[in-house]
Amino acid sequence: VAAVLAALAAITFGTIALTKGGESDEIAVPRLIGRSQADANQVLQAAGLKGSFSKGPSRLEEKDKVISTKPDAGFKLKEGDTVEVVIGAGPAKIALEDLRRLSYDDAVRALRAKGLVPAREDVNSSATAGTVVNTNPRPGTQVSEGQRILLQVSNGRTELPDVVGKSEPEARALLNQAGYVKIQSQEVVPPSDYDAGTVFRTDPIAG
């Protein structure tokens, strides 16, 4: 009986020792976020793991650095297993959408949704005041996240046309076409080089 019990004890001890030895072979994935590809590869090799590297869109400050791993840091693997590592390629390029004819507020929301930075410039235009009439860069241009986009917004006015020398009816017609509808006129004695009934001065001046 004693011999049998001794044999069982030996078998049980051997099984426990084997199990503990298997657990010690597991390797935790090291933390690689923020490292360069060369550095990350060196860390993986030192840990007994392999790296499979690819590139993906990232913030500008993350370019050429590890932005994610699969599995995550701390996950247990066997020696020789592979860790998928993504290196930042910088902001993804997108085509700037056509924002013309949108209100300024709508255009701003559209830009911010794409991670772009809006800026405003009011310009003379006969389009409805507050409407985007153009952008810089122009629609369709490839832009990156965080890039500044200038929105040119109509102020509802065009440049004042030069009506000096025109008759009053001609001057009013030209001004109306340019978006100016509140026009006041005064009859004064003109300089000698202007015919009676013609415009010889405007306030503001043309331009």
Side-chain angles (χ1 to χ4, degrees), residues 52-83:
S52 175
F53 295 88
S54 61
K55 296 216 171 202
S58 70
R59 296 193 300 270
L60 184 60
E61 61 269 23
E62 295 174 326
K63 187 176 180 181
D64 298 325
K65 297 178 182 178
V66 176
I67 58 174
S68 69
T69 61
K70 186 178 180 181
D72 294 332
F75 192 87
K76 298 294 183 64
L77 296 175
K78 299 293 185 183
E79 184 176 357
D81 282 352
T82 299
V83 179

Side-chain angles (χ1 to χ4, degrees), residues 73-137:
F75 192 87
K76 298 294 183 64
L77 296 175
K78 299 293 185 183
E79 184 176 357
D81 282 352
T82 299
V83 179
E84 296 179 15
V85 184
V86 180
I87 305 295
K93 293 282 189 179
I94 59 172
L96 180 62
E97 63 182 294
D98 191 349
L99 303 171
R100 291 172 296 185
R101 293 179 293 279
L102 291 181
S103 70
Y104 173 73
D105 290 340
D106 286 344
V108 166
R109 280 191 286 270
L111 290 176
R112 287 178 176 165
K114 298 289 180 62
L116 301 170
V117 180
R120 176 169 179 157
E121 178 188 18
D122 289 334
V123 296
N124 291 329
S125 171
S126 58
T128 303
T131 301
V132 176
V133 294
N134 211 345
T135 59
N136 186 12

Side-chain angles (χ1 to χ4, degrees), residues 12-66:
T12 303
F13 177 80
T15 302
I16 293 173
L18 181 61
T19 301
K20 288 184 176 178
E23 290 175 351
S24 65
D25 290 336
E26 292 184 334
I27 302 170
V29 175
R31 179 171 176 77
L32 303 175
I33 303 298
R35 294 181 179 271
S36 67
Q37 180 172 335
D39 193 11
N41 191 46
Q42 187 175 14
V43 171
L44 287 173
Q45 289 179 347
L49 299 171
K50 298 177 182 178
S52 175
F53 295 88
S54 61
K55 296 216 171 202
S58 70
R59 296 193 300 270
L60 184 60
E61 61 269 23
E62 295 174 326
K63 187 176 180 181
D64 298 325
K65 297 178 182 178
V66 176

